[in-house]
Amino acid sequence: MMLLIFREMKPLELVFIILLSIGALQGLIYGAILWINQNPNRTANRFLATILFFFSYRLIVEIFKLFGLGNYDIFYHVFLEFNWIYGALIYFFTKAYVSPQFKLSFKYDWIHFLPVLIEFLWSNFIKTQNFFWDGTRESLSWLGYWGYVVWMHYPTQYIISAGLVIFYILKSERMLSVKDYETYQVIPHKTDWISRILRIMKWYAITILLVVLIDFIFLDYAFNRSYHYPIFIGMALITYWLGLEGFNRKQDIVLKQKYILNDKETAQLKPIADKLKSIMIEAKVFKNPDLTLNILSESIEEKSYLVTKCLNLLFHKKFNDFVNEYRIEELKLLLKDPKNSNFTLLSLAFEAGFNSKASFNRAVKKLTGQSPSHLKSEN
């Protein structure tokens, strides 16, 4: 039977099945690895594994449908929709990744899974209408008939699913933007891959939402395989990539515990911090290309180990980063001054205190995440 179906399939459908199968298999394999792996990110990785499992399940359902299974047969009642769970899972994956000892609380977190519960109950209600349908509208109740129409012939599932994904990704991005907490810090570059995932999945959901709405509003929802295929090929590619990213990052340490100062230490270091700010802003000692920790410490008449302690615990910076931030801000001011329009970027960088092209490039990339030339284009 399967062989006969294969023979009758169009080449495009065969390619579609292969791509979806690869994505689903990848999701299941990496999901299992992430689920059983014991590491510092165990909770976050299990949420990621669950996302992969649900993505794989959805792809498998589409594969079965191409074989003629799931269209008003026994599988129609077995294949259940869980499209409204993705957003909540993405949110809790992000939260678990940047929250130490995160645990899911039924008391506070159940509300986030309410949409998928509604989807589950409503989907089953709609599918039971198949038992009453005799080909006439009168065989169904008002709710059963219109519920079926809205659910099966309108893009309701796509719109709500995409909307939930976008909503929860925006919440996740806001949460990820906070790097500094009372007792710990999030190491910025360690969460870049999560930001990429959120960004790509957000635009994937936005694209689906726009395409479906345009089709519904302007084309009378002439739904066909022309964008049905790309939607699920996109899901397969995201599942494949998500599994690889999760596997490669499963051991990453993204949180750094803060040292909590006592009152005595605060009283000792606060005056040093004030002197450091003053000498940087008023005397601009950062413009000295040969500035070192010892020179800076002598300038404010403090011991170097106390200056280092102050930089680490109050400014949360290393000496070089602390000084280079002032140099970059000074460079931005120099670039804005029309008098310096004929000077090269590197010459102005030297004027701001940098002592080599390599150190300048390295500092700008590290502290701004952009290339040095971008500084000039901003001004």
Side-chain angles (χ1 to χ4, degrees):
M1 180 66 179
M2 287 290 185
L3 186 59
L4 182 61
I5 295 174
F6 261 120
R7 287 176 177 173
E8 293 177 351
M9 282 184 176
K10 298 176 182 178
L12 182 61
E13 291 178 326
L14 290 174
V15 172
F16 188 52
I17 289 174
I18 292 170
L19 289 174
L20 266 56
S21 298
I22 292 172
L25 184 62
Q26 178 91 342
L28 292 173
I29 292 173
Y30 280 118
I33 293 172
L34 290 169
W35 186 272
I36 65 176
N37 194 267
Q38 302 291 329
N39 57 65
N41 304 314
R42 183 181 179 185
T43 302
N45 286 334
R46 286 194 166 183
F47 275 113
L48 182 55
T50 306
I51 295 170
L52 291 171
F53 289 148
F54 274 104
F55 276 8
S56 296
Y57 166 79
R58 191 68 182 87
L59 295 173
I60 290 168
V61 168
E62 286 304 308
I63 294 169
F64 271 85
K65 286 182 178 179
L66 284 170
F67 285 103
L69 303 174
N71 296 312
Y72 304 106
D73 52 18
I74 183 63
F75 289 98
Y76 175 71
H77 299 279
V78 173
F79 294 150
L80 304 175
E81 283 78 15
F82 298 103
N83 298 319
W84 299 356
I85 199 172
Y86 306 138
L89 290 176
I90 292 167
Y91 170 72
F92 284 116
F93 158 65
T94 308
K95 189 173 184 178
Y97 215 88
V98 298
S99 304
Q101 288 85 46
F102 170 80
K103 289 184 179 180
L104 200 64
S105 168
F106 179 79
K107 182 178 180 181
Y108 299 106
D109 297 327
W110 70 269
I111 190 69
H112 297 286
F113 296 99
L114 183 59
V116 73
L117 176 61
I118 294 171
E119 180 190 29
F120 175 80
L121 296 174
W122 186 251
S123 176
N124 279 282
F125 168 73
I126 296 304
K127 289 182 177 184
T128 58
Q129 303 308 304
N130 196 44
F131 298 123
F132 306 103
W133 175 252
D134 65 3
T136 64
R137 176 174 174 176
E138 289 71 23
S139 60
L140 300 179
S141 66
W142 179 90
L143 182 61
Y145 174 79
W146 284 109
Y148 184 90
V149 170
V150 171
W151 193 252
M152 300 299 292
H153 295 287
Y154 286 4
T156 309
Q157 297 181 63
Y158 282 107
I159 291 172
I160 296 178
S161 180
L164 286 169
V165 168
I166 295 166
F167 170 76
Y168 277 107
I169 285 179
L170 291 174
K171 282 176 65 71
S172 300
E173 287 178 331
R174 284 196 296 270
M175 179 169 51
L176 208 58
S177 67
V178 180
K179 305 296 183 184
D180 195 32
Y181 294 85
E182 186 176 351
T183 59
Y184 68 95
Q185 287 178 305
V186 177
I187 304 172
H189 68 277
K190 291 290 187 177
T191 58
D192 287 346
W193 72 282
I194 302 178
S195 297
R196 283 196 301 273
I197 287 172
L198 296 178
R199 187 163 57 250
I200 288 173
M201 292 186 70
K202 178 176 67 178
W203 284 109
Y204 172 71
I206 289 173
T207 302
I208 291 175
L209 190 61
L210 289 176
V211 169
V212 172
L213 284 175
I214 290 170
D215 184 39
F216 177 66
I217 296 171
F218 299 106
L219 303 175
D220 197 25
Y221 198 44
F223 184 82
N224 56 65
R225 294 284 177 180
S226 62
Y227 64 77
H228 182 82
Y229 284 159
I231 283 175
F232 287 101
I233 289 174
M235 178 179 279
L237 292 174
I238 288 174
T239 306
Y240 187 88
W241 172 63
L242 198 56
L244 283 174
E245 283 278 22
F247 177 78
N248 291 330
R249 309 283 184 169
K250 64 182 184 298
Q251 303 285 3
D252 281 5
I253 303 298
V254 300
L255 303 179
K256 179 181 177 182
Q257 295 296 324
K258 282 185 180 179
Y259 179 88
I260 307 300
L261 292 169
N262 57 41
D263 292 341
K264 183 179 178 181
E265 288 175 315
T266 302
Q268 181 188 38
L269 297 179
K270 185 65 169 61
I272 298 175
D274 292 338
K275 286 195 281 187
L276 284 172
K277 288 179 182 177
S278 176
I279 200 170
M280 284 290 176
I281 295 171
E282 296 173 11
K284 294 191 175 184
V285 294
F286 57 83
K287 298 186 78 171
N288 176 6
D290 299 316
L291 184 66
T292 63
L293 176 64
N294 287 333
I295 293 174
L296 181 61
S297 302
E298 290 172 3
S299 300
I300 60 173
E301 299 179 343
E302 294 287 350
K303 294 178 180 179
S304 59
Y305 83 90
L306 287 176
V307 172
T308 299
K309 188 175 182 180
C310 176
L311 290 173
N312 290 338
L313 300 181
L314 291 187
F315 291 99
H316 307 294
K317 294 181 178 69
K318 294 181 179 179
F319 168 76
N320 285 335
D321 292 341
F322 176 74
V323 174
N324 286 337
E325 281 188 352
Y326 280 97
R327 287 171 175 164
I328 290 172
E329 291 305 312
E330 178 69 13
L331 175 59
K332 289 179 180 178
L333 292 176
L334 292 172
L335 287 168
K336 288 179 179 179
D337 192 339
K339 296 178 182 178
N340 298 321
S341 59
N342 293 326
F343 292 97
T344 65
L345 179 63
L346 188 59
S347 65
L348 294 177
F350 288 152
E351 173 68 20
F354 289 102
N355 57 16
S356 73
K357 181 179 179 179
S359 64
F360 167 58
N361 290 342
R362 200 163 45 242
V364 173
K365 184 66 177 176
K366 179 181 180 181
L367 298 176
T368 70
Q370 298 170 330
S371 64
S373 59
H374 191 79
L375 294 174
K376 197 164 188 177
S377 65
E378 286 182 338
N379 296 280

